[in-house]
Amino acid sequence: MEENGKTKEEILAFLKKAKAADTNYERVLSSMCTYPHEIAVLAHTQFIESNMGDPGLFPGTFDLERQVLVMFGKMLHHKNCPEKAGYLTTGGTESNIQAIRSMKNFRHDIPKPNIIIARSAHFSFDKVANLSGIEIRKASLDNLLKVDLDSVRSLIDENTIGLVGIAGTTEFGQLDPIDELSELAIEKNIFLHVDAAFGGFVIPFMDLDYSYDFKLEGVTSMTIDPHKMALSTIPSGGLLFKEPEYFECLEIHTPYLSVNKQYSLTGTRSGGAVASTYAVMKHLGRKGYKKVVSDCMSVTKKLVEGADKLGIGTVIDPVLNIVALDVPEADLVRKKLLDEHGWHVSITRDPRALRIVIMPHIKNETIELFLKDLAKAVK
Ligand code: 0PR
């Protein structure tokens, strides 16, 4: 830090330069984030100094969080006091870490616990393994890239405390059979965490015949991220447990705060993100989110049809607004798309395919331009 501070004008000029170096979302087809809704930004700004780490000072924001949890509860068919069984995290990673931490604390009778996740699970579970010392066993996938139930079953032993299912995988947007995982979890008397970080704000707004939430008896916790498809601001994640007692397993004594217990992983926690999530969910309502999702799905369809005309298929038929295009030499095509045309796409691990997430900032016109450049890049 320099001895003398800069003027406001100088700082704003530096910031403008830094911002210009950032990528705007116009040609970003690789991200699960997007421009937040205007009302989310307004709310976030209004509550910018609010700290949920010391909720006694901010009862107004605390009440907004309670109302968001009640809204989550309705969306996810929660039956038992959702406002006492979860909190707004910083995102999918914190929610997943905390869900597994709760399982570990609840089952402290098991000295060397393990959990079973799908090979397709998000890398946040590798952080869980590293942090907690819990053994993470990875089940294989079937030919549609859903977790294979026989593989899950074969990995369970007397030290298994829980299973993880994914409702909207990061790479392919695939839906694991949560109903069958739920049956298995009940049969074995173990926990079942559902990672719906992405799918949680997509699936409820589609006409899908798919059960993945607390309607299923075996589901004990869920991750659902407002900073992805809900158009809230970063950092806004959600974690909900079936029972308040699973949430209470995260309790830490806080001797010098305005309240004497804390459940979150982080200490200081953004009240801005709480207010923004409340504001955008109240503003859009089910009808608003249905429109967001149906627009994304219609752009997804346009991409798949356009790719098909170029002779490019998809690894699986897209279920959500995530498409994996099966192009030969995917890494090279990705590089060409970026270097020659400025498109950001990502690559799936196995099989290697071009991964495109159709977030709300991607419109039909974007896809028309992209397909023209894709045709050149695959030549
Ligand atoms: N669970 C699932 C199913 C996810 O897809 C993700 C994130 C997480 C958990 C973790 O969420 P947080 O990143 O909020 O902790 N999936 C994206 C990914 O890793 C996140 C992302 C978002 C990546 C924007 C890039 C990007 O530009 O691909």
Side-chain angles (χ1 to χ4, degrees):
M1 205 192 314
E2 290 163 31
E3 191 59 29
N4 294 316
K6 305 274 183 216
T7 64
K8 183 176 160 191
E9 287 68 30
E10 284 170 317
I11 299 297
L12 291 178
F14 287 142
L15 293 180
K16 201 170 169 191
K17 216 167 139 200
K19 183 86 180 171
D22 283 354
T23 308
N24 69 40
Y25 278 117
E26 306 310 316
R27 287 192 172 217
V28 174
L29 308 179
S30 57
S31 179
M32 285 187 170
C33 294
T34 189
Y35 298 112
H37 195 285
E38 179 193 9
I39 199 129
V41 178
L42 285 172
H44 195 125
T45 315
Q46 195 178 349
F47 285 75
I48 199 75
E49 74 282 13
S50 165
N51 171 21
M52 296 299 285
D54 203 358
L57 297 181
F58 302 100
T61 328
F62 191 70
D63 188 56
L64 295 182
E65 181 179 54
R66 193 188 57 73
Q67 293 191 56
V68 171
L69 290 168
V70 171
M71 287 192 271
F72 282 176
K74 282 220 174 88
M75 274 174 69
L76 302 174
H77 301 96
H78 194 279
K79 296 176 194 104
N80 194 6
C81 308
E83 70 277 26
K84 292 196 177 124
Y87 73 102
L88 293 196
T89 67
T90 51
T93 299
E94 181 180 343
S95 300
N96 288 340
I97 291 172
Q98 290 280 80
I100 308 306
R101 197 180 135 220
S102 155
M103 291 182 192
K104 184 186 170 193
N105 290 352
F106 202 84
R107 293 305 309 270
H108 52 80
D109 54 312
I110 307 256
K112 283 195 171 166
N114 68 65
I115 59 165
I116 321 274
I117 68 173
R119 197 157 284 291
S120 50
H122 185 257
F123 52 78
S124 46
F125 291 99
D126 295 325
K127 299 182 186 178
V128 172
N130 188 239
L131 272 169
S132 66
I134 290 181
E135 185 196 347
I136 308 281
R137 299 183 173 178
K138 295 191 180 178
S140 53
L141 308 181
D142 66 14
N143 56 359
L144 288 175
L145 306 178
K146 299 180 189 193
V147 73
D148 183 277
L149 261 298
D150 290 334
S151 174
V152 174
R153 197 177 266 281
S154 72
L155 292 170
I156 297 177
D157 65 15
E158 68 283 3
N159 292 321
T160 303
I161 57 170
L163 310 176
V164 173
I166 315 160
T169 59
T170 306
E171 293 181 295
F172 297 96
Q174 186 53 285
L175 307 175
D176 279 342
I178 307 296
D179 52 352
E180 290 173 282
L181 288 171
S182 164
E183 292 300 315
L184 190 54
I186 293 168
E187 177 194 322
K188 301 283 180 186
N189 193 24
I190 53 182
F191 289 97
L192 171 59
H193 175 65
V194 176
D195 182 353
F198 186 78
F201 269 95
V202 183
I203 299 162
F205 308 113
M206 292 173 78
D207 289 324
L208 284 178
D209 182 18
Y210 177 63
S211 297
Y212 71 110
D213 61 19
F214 294 108
K215 218 188 242 178
L216 299 168
E217 277 303 304
V219 172
T220 48
S221 56
M222 292 192 70
T223 289
I224 169 172
D225 271 0
H227 70 205
K228 296 188 168 75
M229 280 293 287
L231 306 180
S232 184
T233 53
I234 301 169
S236 181
L239 174 62
L240 205 54
F241 291 93
K242 178 178 181 176
E243 303 291 344
E245 60 180 327
Y246 302 154
F247 178 51
E248 284 155 15
C249 273
L250 299 172
E251 180 181 312
I252 291 287
H253 183 52
T254 51
Y256 43 79
L257 297 185
S258 56
V259 292
N260 57 11
K261 292 172 198 161
Q262 196 173 77
Y263 304 91
S264 51
L265 187 63
T266 61
T268 302
R269 183 158 68 93
S270 168
V274 169
S276 90
T277 303
Y278 169 85
V280 69
M281 286 183 75
K282 277 280 185 197
H283 182 65
L284 288 177
R286 283 191 63 83
K287 221 170 168 183
Y289 282 119
K290 273 191 180 165
K291 165 115 178 61
V292 169
V293 170
S294 85
D295 286 353
C296 287
M297 289 313 296
S298 105
V299 178
T300 301
K301 192 161 166 253
K302 186 173 173 75
L303 170 64
V304 173
E305 286 169 0
D308 185 57
K309 283 193 191 129
L310 300 174
I312 300 170
T314 53
V315 176
I316 57 163
D317 287 338
V319 190
L320 307 182
N321 44 331
I322 299 179
V323 181
L325 294 177
D326 190 9
V327 296
E329 298 190 87
D331 293 85
L332 182 67
V333 173
R334 178 198 196 185
K335 188 170 177 340
K336 280 192 189 170
L337 284 168
L338 181 62
D339 295 350
E340 295 168 23
H341 308 286
W343 295 105
H344 294 259
V345 301
S346 62
I347 296 274
T348 57
R349 289 167 294 179
D350 183 24
R352 288 193 87 70
L354 280 192
R355 168 181 173 266
I356 292 164
V357 189
I358 303 292
M359 294 300 289
H361 60 266
I362 299 167
K363 309 290 178 205
N364 279 332
E365 306 80 74
T366 325
I367 290 305
E368 276 163 26
L369 293 172
F370 173 72
L371 286 167
K372 280 189 191 142
D373 293 337
L374 180 64
K376 290 181 221 152
V378 294
K379 254 192 205 143

